Structures are given as structure tokens and as C-alpha cells.
Amino acid sequence: MVKAYLRYEPLANFGVIASTQSNITYDHTGKLAITPALEDVLLWDLKKGTQVGKWKESGNNAQVTSIAKSPNNRDYAVGYEDGMVRLWKLDTATATVTLSGHRGTVTTLVFNDDGTRLASGSRDTDIIVWDIVAETGLYRLKGHKEQVTCLSFLKNPERPNSNEGYLLSASKDTLLKLWDLSSQFCRETVVGHRTEVWSFDIDPQQSVIISGGAEPMLKAWKINWSILEKSIDEMEIDDQPPQEADEAESLKKAITAYGNIPRNSRDRIVTIRFHPSGSFVGVQAADKAVELYQVRDHEQIRKKIQRRKKRAKEKGKQVDEISDEIQPEDEFHSYTIVRAQTKIRSFDFAPVKDVQKAGHIQLAVSLNDNVIEVYNAPLPAEKKSDIQEDPSRTSSIDLQGHRSDIRAVALSANDDLLASASHNSLKIWNVKTRSCIRSMDCGYALCCSFLPGDRHVLIGTKSGDLELFDIASSSMVYSVAAHAGSIYSLHMRPDKRGFVTGGADKEAKFWDFKINEEKPTSSPTFVHMRTLKLSDEVLCVRYSPDQNILAVSLLDSTVKVFYHDTLKFFLSLYGHKLPVLSMDISSDNTLIATASADKNVKIWGLDFGDCHKSIFAHQENITGIQFVWGTHYFFTVSKDKLVKYWDGDKFENIMKLQGHHGEIWALAVSRQGGIVVTGSHDRSIRIWERTDEQLFLEEEREKELEEMYESTLVSQMEKVDVNDTELDSAGKQTMETLKAGERIIEALEIADEEKQGWEAYETAKAKGLPAEQPQRNPILLAMGDLSPEKYVLNTVQKIKANDLEEALLVLPFAKVISLLSYIEGWAKKNWNIILISRVLFALIKIHHNQIVANRMMRPMLDSIRHELRANLQKQKDIMGYNRAALTYLRRDWEARNTADFFDEPPSTTNDKKKRAFIHV
């Protein structure tokens, strides 16, 4: 009989307010902050400090690395670590479109002005421009040699509808590149920076670019639209002779250096952003501050130049020497700095254009220690004599997460409460609602446990103190300096009357609880009863469930087992090459499992101390191990970010639980094994739940092999760029595109077989030969007695728009000819003309040479051209008619509703009491 196990599935992850891999952004109202939370996106109400929404894609485990808001204020583009881009709707919290094209982490996203185009930059050095309406990639722009760090669309403000516009990109290769989107080529390369360019922004008037990297100054650039609007042929060669003999004549540049802007920070730039009003610029470096610059108007700049001349005159200099030319530091003036408690990861301005009415500039910042803060920065002082106010923090979201790694977790006896401890903070969570109900300051916690009764939590700290916290009052009620070194481990005694601690001072200490008999309701304390001195530092201590023995793991890589009552030595378990970091004893007191820094788990018998099995369990140090009560199954966690579930009798790995993005430090398994809780370096707490779904080891191993094969298959099919061209297709081969291609081939085979059967029957009938009607294909009958043409069309229609071109690449040429014959039929019947056109153009682009060389296909292609042109003209006419009708309806509505905005006309009735002029 094959043994079946129950599967564990992720139930929840919480504890992350804002992760550090991506930027933060406001919604269009300015009330919500949209923040990355590892693989999810969270929506926080900034006034209430509560989470109001969560965007989670099932099956996705890649971290969020970029967020961009669409101008329509409903859609948000979210880029992920695996190269995917998903479009989320704010009101429905659903991912409407998934775009796959990048082979590396998506690092930057930007929408154009009307939200119909999206540009994404990646660590794979490519830029992809996506059509949001058609849900497909238009093209891939290649030119950068390093990660793309920032993107922005450019449009001539005087002629916004003239052409596709331009795209400006920055990269770690120190270059800024200007791409012409109508011709899809690199128009200009700006080479002013000497270090990696990390960010830039363009002012709302589309005239000035401010960029920055690791240099101590910001760089400003001017955009010359008169040059940019000319084609390459029209552009003039500079009239000036070259300065040096070897300097070649160059084309006039549309982006020219404006100058340098000084900044206060010496760290590299992370974000540069213009305020929505265009009157301010925020510059954030990789430190604790956001520097705010005022954009001066012409009157203020003129006064600044006059003051400069006046000062020069006072110093006895010639006024003529002072230039009247406007410098960038005249236009952009640093006037205040917003300082946070810790390093800032990203910031965003509130979407308020009228700052004079608001009276301040509001910005939200996400910090590196899992906090969101909102600051109000005052407007610049009108006069120099006025005192400039300091920015003030108005709100902070920090309760729902830890500031640093979660080092220990513990579950209460009834699994309703969860305690998590980190450096300086202990938090109590409600397991069902996943909300933080208590938060207390503590030392650097390394281990924790609930006391019997679940009203108190005990923690052991790095400084050697034992701290007891009362949950009801959220306060520390007792503290004692227990060890001379760090307390690495503590374990409750099975009789619940005391506990044992082990520390770096080479001692295991035994403690008993003490309750004040005069005040039985007061908090318990504990007293030191006896000490067990050992030869090395104690890393872990564990009682057996029957309280007969105590196991102690030491820094010398051995585990010593003692009788609890006499502390007499019983067994020494040696075999690990590195120290045992965690261990556990099974509920029937027969097995002890030890997890070590040498990446191995060893299972020992407690009767003779013999090693039953040594398992190479993880790729990194194993930090925690725990048995499920009543079984020999156990869980292990490691620095390799995995949780693994094992059978201690068969020595088999039952399943792997993936989800964490950092080293896992802590593990807690509920009494009955219903839930498993893990805490990690990524500051998240994850709960895994046991389901009723059965799991078989053979199936799991097969699934793992399939996943391995699929990953290698996709990487083998990756296109190698032989031609070093700037332009390429936007698609990427994935398992979905391969399967979609296979589905098209299967559909063509079924349809061809059906078609040929009927053609043979019709031919035989025409010749007067005896023939039987061919049997219909059961698949076509099951789908509603479909015709072969309709069946193939339905199959193609079900493929995602973004995957279609890559799926067609899978087809062999024989199937391409077959598909073209079906396209001819679809064109005649006027079925889904838009999709037919896309498929036809893709096939002709891919197989152009073979199609041109094949004369037999000419009549078919002529027929398709004739039918398709006529149908496309019809579509165009319908669209034109509909557009004209909508324009008419809009005009009509405006004409009817304009009167609503005026006051009612005065009454014309004669009022006898009022005087009136009488015309005689």
C-alpha cells in the first residue's frame, strides 16, 4: 500500500509593511499608499494606519520590484523579479493583464500621458514598449550595456498629437539614451555622467531634465524641441569649426548640458521626482534624507542675478564680469531637507497640484526598516528674513511589522496567539485575523516561549537577560540577568512548573516558577534552582516529553544527553561536522532529530544513541527543526529560504514549502500539526496550513523532475541575439507559449483529419463510387458540433494576446500552410478580422522566405489579401461612423446640459410692490 500524506499550503503571510525591493506610490486621491510587500502589493490608509487592500497573484512567488500609476488613476503596473509585468485594477484588486517579455528583474516602469503605452526597463538591459489596449508587447529596444534604471516618455508640449513621441532611458552604463518611438531607434546618447545614472525626471513643461548618480552634483539638461522635431536628414551640421583638429563635425544635439546643481548628500541618488505642480523637485539619496528644491520663476531668478551683481559691486569687482546667463543653481534652489529616523528606500509626492492652497508639500516615504512615514514640508519662506520652518512628520505606519529580522516565534497552547521577537521588539499576533494586538520593547531576542496559561511571554536575549512580559498590560513584569553570555535556547518543562535555558557562558540553568500566594492573580516570577556546567557554549536545550531526559547541543558539534532528575550523563551523540543549531525529541520519546550548520539532519535512537539516518537536508545552515506531535514527521527550516517536511521513519522528504525571500530563523509547529509558522530575515511571518488534499511521494518527485525539465527547456529555447540590432520583438518563450503552440498544432491536426475525411467522401460521391459518411471527431461533437474552421479559430482565440506571436513560432512550416488555408476561410466568413490580421502578419514575418519561394501558395495569399482588405475597409467604416456618432452625442449632451451651470433667469411676473420704469 502506497503511503499518503496530507499536503501543507500557504495560508497567510504578514508582518511586512513595505519591502525594500520596490518604490512606494500614492493613489490619485492622496489618501492611500500603494507599497510592495515581497510578492504582494499592499494598500494602506495613511490617516488610519490600516491595511485596506492586498493585491496577490496566486502561484506567484517573485518579489515586486517596481510600481507605476496609470494616468487613468484606475490601473497600476507592477513589475516583478522574474521579469513579469502585471496590470492591476485599483477598484477590483485583480490582475487584468500579465505581460511576459523580460529575462531579468523589472527595474522601472512608466506610462505615457494617455495611459495606452507602458515602457518597462529591466536588469537584462532591454526596454520593452507595451500596448496596454491590445495587451501585447510592441517592440524591444536594445542599446544599454547595463541595467536600465529609469524611463520617461517625452512629448512636444506644443504639438502633443504630432507623432508617437520619444522615450528617455537611463542606465548603470552611465548613459542617457533618447529613443524615437515612431521609427524605433536611438536618436541620441547623452554621455555627460561619469558614474552610474540611477534616476532622472523631466519637468512638466518637458524642457529640463535633472539626472543624478553617484556624483556629488546633480546634472541638468535642456531639451531643444526645434532640433528634436526635425528628421535626421533635415538636421544641420554645426557651423562652428571644430575646437581641435581631430574633433569630427557632429550633428546638433537635442539634449544639451545646462549645468550642475549642488546637493547636500554624498551618497548615490535613488530617486529624483518633480512635484505635480512643477514648482518643486525632491531628490532622495541612499541615506536618511529627501532634499527639496524650489523651482524659481523668471522674476525670482532676475532678483537673484541682481543680488549677485550687487554683492560683486560691493566687493569691488566689475559688474560686467557677472554673467546674465541663467545657471541651473539659480533656477533650482535647495530650501529644506526632510530627515527620517533610518535610511529611506523611496518617496512619492501627494497628488496635490495647488500647494499654495494646501500650505505645505506632503510626501510619503518608505524606510529600509519596514516603516511608512508621511511628512509635511513647509513652503519656502517669502523673505530671507523669515524663519524657514522644519518639515514635520504627520503619521507613521509601523505597528504591523518588525524593524529587523524575526529571530524567534512561539504559538500559544490553543494556537490562537502568536509571539514573534526581534531586535528590540516583541509582538503578539492574532493568528486568525493576522493583526498585531500587542507590541512591546525588549532586548535583542534570540528565543521566546509562552508561559503556561498563555498570559505571559518569556524571552531570552543576546545580553543574557531573561525578560517576562505580561500580554494584558503590554509591559515587562520581571527581568533577571540569567547568563553571562547570550541565551541561545530556552524550553518549557513538560510538567509546566519551570523551564531550562542554555547560553554562551557554557551553562544550562534550571528555573522554577514562583507564584505569590498572597496575590495569586499577580504575575508569576521564576527562581534559579540548579546549574549544569558544560565543556562548551550551549546552543540548544530540549526536554523529552516524558521529562525523563534533557538533551544539550554544544559548540563542539556534539549533543550530550542527561537524566533530568540526577543530571547524570546518559549519551553523547557525535557525528556532525559543525555545531547543532536546533533539535527536537519525538512525542513517544524514541527519536531525537538534530539539525546542524553542516546542512545535515541526523535522526538518532534515544535507547542506545545510534544514528538511524543522516540526511543532506538543505543547501545552507539548518536553523530550526520540530516534530509534529504524535508522529515521526518533522519540519526543518534553513538559511536557503526553504521549509521542508520530512518522514522520520522512511527518511524521505515529503514536500518543500517555498515562499520566504530571506534566511528563515524561526519555526513553530502547532500542537496537532494543523499549522506551521515561520519567521524570516525578510521580516515576514508565514503560516502554512495542513489541508485535506492527499500527497504521494512518487507524484511529488515526478513533479519536481518535470519542473526541472521545463526550466531547462525554456532556457534552451531562448533566442540568442546574433545580430547586434537595436530593435527586436518583445515576446519571450515560456512554458505557456510552448503549450499554446502545441494546442494550435493539435487543433490543426484534428481539423485537417476531419476536413480530409469529408473531402474524400465528397470526391467519391461525385465520382459515383460507394462511400460512407466519415465519423465525426468526438472532440468536435462534444464542443457543440463545431466545424473544423471554427474549432481552430476557437483554439487561437483562447491564447493570450501577449503569447500569440511566440506560440506561432512553435509551428512547423507544414502546419503554417495549413493555418493559412484556414485564415482564407475565416477572412471569407468575416470572423474576428483583427485576430486574423495579427496571426497573418506574424506568420508572414516569421516565414517570409519560405512563403515567397513557394509558388503554390500565391493564389491562396491573393484570395486572403482581397477578402481581408474588403473586410478591414468595412471595419474602418464602422469605426469612423461610430466615432462620428459619439462625437455628435457628446455635442448634443453638452448643448442640453450647459444651461444647468447658469443661474435661473429672473422671474418676469409683475410685482406691484416694486417700482418699475413705464414706457409711454
Side-chain angles (χ1 to χ4, degrees):
M1 185 74 183
V2 179
K3 188 164 186 183
Y5 302 88
L6 292 178
R7 186 182 293 280
Y8 279 81
E9 292 285 353
L11 174 66
N13 68 308
F14 53 96
V16 180
I17 297 167
S19 54
T20 57
Q21 294 298 309
S22 173
N23 59 305
I24 180 176
T25 183
Y26 270 102
D27 76 327
H28 64 284
T29 62
K31 293 176 182 174
L32 302 180
I34 293 153
T35 66
L38 302 176
E39 71 269 29
D40 304 331
V41 178
L42 300 181
L43 278 67
W44 296 94
D45 187 314
L46 291 170
K47 269 192 178 172
K48 297 176 184 172
T50 55
Q51 184 185 321
V52 293
K54 187 177 194 174
W55 297 345
K56 184 175 181 64
E57 180 76 1
S58 60
N60 168 52
N61 199 34
Q63 286 198 70
V64 172
T65 53
S66 185
I67 303 173
K69 180 172 68 177
S70 171
N72 67 15
N73 296 328
R74 292 190 306 275
D75 294 329
Y76 288 78
V78 180
Y80 294 83
E81 205 172 29
D82 58 358
M84 292 288 187
V85 178
R86 291 185 177 88
L87 291 181
W88 292 86
K89 283 250 183 269
L90 181 64
D91 43 4
T92 59
T94 53
T96 52
V97 184
T98 301
L99 305 167
S100 63
H102 286 294
R103 298 168 182 85
T105 303
V106 177
T107 51
T108 177
L109 291 165
V110 65
F111 282 94
N112 68 348
D113 288 343
D114 55 7
T116 57
R117 296 279 186 274
L118 171 71
S120 59
S122 166
R123 202 165 279 169
D124 63 9
T125 75
D126 293 348
I127 300 161
I128 298 179
V129 178
W130 308 89
D131 184 339
I132 298 303
V133 180
E135 301 176 6
T136 57
L138 294 173
Y139 42 83
R140 185 188 300 266
L141 300 171
K142 303 161 88 166
H144 286 293
K145 298 287 180 273
E146 272 283 351
Q147 170 186 325
V148 179
T149 54
C150 195
L151 292 170
S152 185
F153 282 95
L154 270 170
K155 269 271 174 118
N156 188 342
E158 293 170 9
R159 294 195 294 163
N161 301 319
S162 57
N163 58 8
E164 284 272 323
Y166 300 88
L167 181 69
L168 188 64
S169 64
S171 167
K172 284 170 72 174
D173 61 8
T174 76
L175 302 176
L176 288 167
K177 282 181 178 285
L178 182 66
W179 305 86
D180 186 331
L181 297 183
S182 49
S183 317
Q184 293 126 37
F185 76 102
C186 179
R187 175 74 182 255
E188 252 179 51
T189 301
V190 183
V191 289
H193 284 275
R194 292 286 170 270
T195 59
E196 298 168 343
V197 185
W198 281 98
S199 184
F200 71 82
D201 204 7
I202 304 165
D203 71 333
Q205 289 77 34
Q206 307 275 294
S207 60
V208 177
I209 303 163
I210 297 177
S211 61
E215 295 146 326
M217 307 278 266
L218 296 169
K219 287 192 181 293
W221 312 85
K222 281 275 189 189
I223 303 170
N224 189 335
W225 281 103
S226 59
I227 293 175
L228 201 51
E229 288 298 304
K230 290 178 183 174
S231 67
I232 293 289
D233 302 330
E234 293 170 0
M235 284 178 67
E236 305 154 0
I237 304 296
D238 278 343
D239 296 326
Q240 291 88 6
Q243 300 296 316
E244 295 173 18
D246 60 343
E247 186 177 299
E249 290 186 337
S250 61
L251 291 168
K252 277 189 176 175
K253 296 285 185 187
I255 297 175
T256 52
Y258 183 22
N260 293 334
I261 304 168
R263 62 187 181 101
N264 278 303
S265 174
R266 289 288 166 265
D267 290 295
R268 74 163 179 85
I269 294 288
V270 177
T271 315
I272 298 171
R273 189 155 290 166
F274 271 89
H275 190 270
S277 66
S279 306
F280 302 94
V281 184
V283 177
Q284 174 231 332
D287 59 7
K288 301 178 183 179
V290 176
E291 195 171 349
L292 291 180
Y293 290 80
Q294 178 192 7
V295 182
R296 290 187 171 123
D297 57 29
H298 286 293
E299 185 60 29
Q300 289 170 321
I301 294 168
R302 189 179 60 77
K303 286 179 181 174
K304 168 88 175 169
I305 293 170
Q306 281 178 350
R307 281 200 300 273
R308 196 190 300 154
K309 286 183 177 180
K310 192 178 175 185
R311 280 199 301 274
K313 199 174 180 182
E314 286 168 2
K315 289 177 183 176
K317 291 181 183 176
Q318 289 292 325
V319 181
D320 300 338
E321 293 175 13
I322 306 300
S323 172
D324 283 339
E325 200 175 314
I326 298 170
Q327 299 298 321
E329 56 261 39
D330 299 334
E331 190 175 345
F332 301 98
H333 156 63
S334 173
Y335 80 93
T336 189
I337 297 173
V338 177
R339 297 189 191 279
Q341 298 293 319
T342 54
K343 277 192 175 181
I344 296 172
R345 166 59 186 88
S346 74
F347 82 98
D348 193 22
F349 284 115
V352 179
K353 286 193 176 181
D354 193 352
V355 285
Q356 298 300 330
K357 188 179 176 185
H360 59 260
I361 301 162
Q362 191 183 84
L363 63 153
V365 299
S366 65
L367 306 182
N368 271 359
D369 63 350
N370 200 23
V371 178
I372 302 167
E373 292 182 338
V374 180
Y375 287 88
N376 280 352
L379 299 178
E382 292 289 331
K383 297 173 186 173
K384 218 172 184 183
S385 55
D386 294 348
I387 297 167
Q388 180 68 53
E389 293 176 34
D390 288 333
S392 59
R393 188 176 72 187
T394 58
S395 61
S396 174
I397 301 172
D398 56 2
L399 181 67
Q400 298 296 326
H402 284 278
R403 306 287 76 78
S404 57
D405 301 21
I406 296 162
R407 297 305 299 255
V409 292
L411 281 164
S412 61
N414 58 5
D415 302 336
D416 283 345
L417 297 178
L418 167 69
S420 63
S422 68
H423 179 29
N424 292 341
S425 95
L426 168 69
K427 290 184 183 286
I428 310 297
W429 307 81
N430 182 324
V431 173
K432 286 187 176 64
T433 63
R434 268 84 71 181
S435 59
C436 179
I437 52 176
R438 293 285 185 275
S439 188
M440 295 160 268
D441 292 337
C442 66
Y444 196 135
L446 295 178
C447 50
C448 73
S449 178
F450 277 92
L451 262 59
D454 296 338
R455 292 181 181 179
H456 299 84
V457 176
L458 180 68
I459 67 163
T461 67
K462 200 173 184 177
S463 57
D465 296 335
L466 280 171
E467 296 177 356
L468 183 66
F469 291 87
D470 179 36
I471 296 172
S473 63
S474 298
S475 59
M476 187 199 296
V477 291
Y478 189 63
S479 176
V480 63
H483 286 263
S486 302
I487 300 174
Y488 289 123
S489 179
L490 67 86
H491 195 221
M492 287 295 147
R493 220 160 61 205
D495 65 4
K496 298 183 178 176
R497 293 183 178 180
F499 59 95
V500 62
T501 59
D505 57 358
K506 304 181 184 178
E507 291 179 346
K509 291 190 175 181
F510 298 84
W511 309 78
D512 277 4
F513 293 121
K514 183 182 173 187
I515 295 170
N516 190 342
E517 291 176 3
E518 294 175 8
K519 289 184 181 178
T521 55
S522 65
S523 296
T525 56
F526 41 86
V527 289
H528 178 219
M529 300 305 290
R530 52 185 178 162
T531 302
L532 174 64
K533 292 191 179 296
L534 294 142
S535 59
D536 219 325
E537 291 185 19
V538 178
L539 298 182
C540 188
V541 286
R542 281 291 177 274
Y543 279 112
S544 62
D546 62 1
Q547 206 176 307
N548 189 26
I549 58 169
L550 172 78
V552 182
S553 83
L554 303 178
L555 195 65
D556 63 4
S557 307
T558 63
V559 176
K560 301 277 194 287
V561 184
F562 299 89
Y563 289 106
H564 171 249
D565 46 3
T566 60
L567 294 186
K568 187 179 172 186
F569 178 73
F570 173 40
L571 291 170
S572 179
L573 311 176
Y574 55 88
H576 282 292
K577 295 182 179 66
L578 289 169
V580 172
L581 302 177
S582 181
M583 58 187 174
D584 199 23
I585 298 170
S586 64
S587 55
D588 59 2
N589 309 292
T590 57
L591 296 180
I592 180 169
T594 57
S596 164
D598 63 10
K599 308 169 191 173
N600 287 294
V601 169
K602 288 185 190 290
I603 299 165
W604 317 75
L606 272 176
D607 38 9
F608 305 111
D610 55 321
C611 180
H612 290 185
K613 186 74 173 176
S614 180
I615 307 166
F616 182 71
H618 288 270
Q619 300 298 320
E620 288 286 345
N621 299 359
I622 304 168
T623 52
I625 188 167
Q626 194 172 340
F627 276 101
V628 176
W629 187 264
T631 70
H632 284 173
Y633 306 151
F634 60 90
F635 285 90
T636 59
V637 295
S638 163
K639 285 187 179 179
D640 65 4
K641 310 173 189 175
L642 290 176
V643 183
K644 290 191 179 182
Y645 184 31
W646 303 85
D647 185 337
D649 292 328
K650 288 190 169 184
F651 317 119
E652 289 270 10
N653 177 20
I654 302 169
M655 67 180 298
K656 293 177 190 170
L657 302 171
Q658 293 177 323
H660 279 291
H661 298 278
E663 300 97 354
I664 305 173
W665 292 114
L667 168 72
V669 181
S670 67
R671 180 78 172 175
Q672 302 304 324
I675 60 169
V676 177
V677 181
T678 53
S680 165
H681 170 74
D682 61 18
R683 304 190 184 103
S684 73
I685 301 168
R686 289 174 192 263
I687 300 179
W688 318 82
E689 181 186 38
R690 186 169 61 201
T691 62
D692 295 331
E693 186 189 343
Q694 287 193 329
L695 173 153
F696 300 97
L697 294 181
E698 290 79 10
E699 286 180 8
E700 283 298 300
R701 297 298 90 83
E702 279 176 21
K703 204 183 287 180
E704 283 171 20
L705 286 170
E706 272 179 27
E707 282 172 9
M708 201 184 298
Y709 168 69
E710 284 178 3
S711 63
T712 53
L713 184 68
V714 171
S715 59
Q716 282 168 4
M717 291 198 70
E718 281 295 333
K719 290 173 278 190
V720 180
D721 187 26
V722 183
N723 309 320
D724 193 18
T725 55
E726 285 183 346
L727 194 66
D728 202 354
S729 62
K732 179 181 79 165
Q733 279 289 8
T734 60
M735 267 329 284
E736 283 75 28
T737 60
L738 290 177
K739 285 174 182 173
E742 285 171 4
R743 284 200 299 275
I744 295 174
I745 293 169
E746 282 172 20
L748 287 169
E749 283 171 355
I750 290 168
D752 285 348
E753 192 183 327
E754 182 84 359
K755 217 171 171 186
Q756 284 160 12
W758 279 99
E759 279 173 5
Y761 170 69
E762 293 293 340
T763 309
K765 205 173 167 188
K767 288 179 180 177
L769 298 170
E772 286 185 17
Q773 276 197 4
Q775 201 172 353
R776 294 297 312 275
N777 190 297
I779 294 172
L780 298 180
L781 285 170
M783 294 181 81
D785 199 10
L786 288 177
S787 66
E789 291 93 346
K790 196 71 178 170
Y791 176 61
V792 176
L793 181 63
N794 286 358
T795 307
V796 175
Q797 278 175 335
K798 284 174 188 170
I799 298 166
K800 287 180 186 171
N802 189 45
D803 295 344
L804 186 58
E805 198 166 324
E806 295 296 318
L808 293 172
L809 277 172
V810 179
L811 303 186
F813 189 63
K815 297 296 175 196
V816 171
I817 296 170
S818 175
L819 185 55
L820 284 169
S821 69
Y822 286 106
I823 287 173
E824 185 184 6
W826 300 338
K828 284 177 181 172
K829 291 175 182 175
N830 197 10
W831 285 350
N832 203 337
I833 293 298
I834 296 163
L835 180 68
I836 293 170
S837 305
R838 279 198 63 205
V839 173
L840 181 65
F841 299 151
L843 289 175
I844 289 172
K845 193 165 73 176
I846 297 162
H847 302 283
H848 181 261
N849 292 344
Q850 293 99 313
I851 290 170
V852 170
N854 194 332
R855 286 186 181 178
M856 302 292 287
M857 294 177 68
R858 180 150 189 176
M860 187 204 299
L861 290 170
D862 274 339
S863 168
I864 293 171
R865 183 181 63 178
H866 175 70
E867 296 292 341
L868 212 52
R869 275 191 178 169
N871 285 325
L872 285 170
Q873 187 59 46
K874 274 186 200 168
Q875 293 269 349
K876 194 177 172 185
D877 293 344
I878 291 166
M879 286 166 74
Y881 182 83
N882 288 346
R883 190 176 172 186
L886 287 168
T887 310
Y888 169 75
L889 288 170
R890 182 181 172 182
R891 280 206 309 268
D892 185 50
W893 185 89
E894 284 173 355
R896 287 170 183 272
N897 291 274
T898 309
D900 296 351
F901 297 104
F902 297 111
D903 291 334
E904 287 184 12
S907 174
T908 54
T909 54
N910 292 326
D911 195 341
K912 299 293 179 189
K913 291 180 183 177
K914 288 187 179 178
R915 294 185 197 170
F917 290 105
I918 299 167
H919 296 285
V920 180

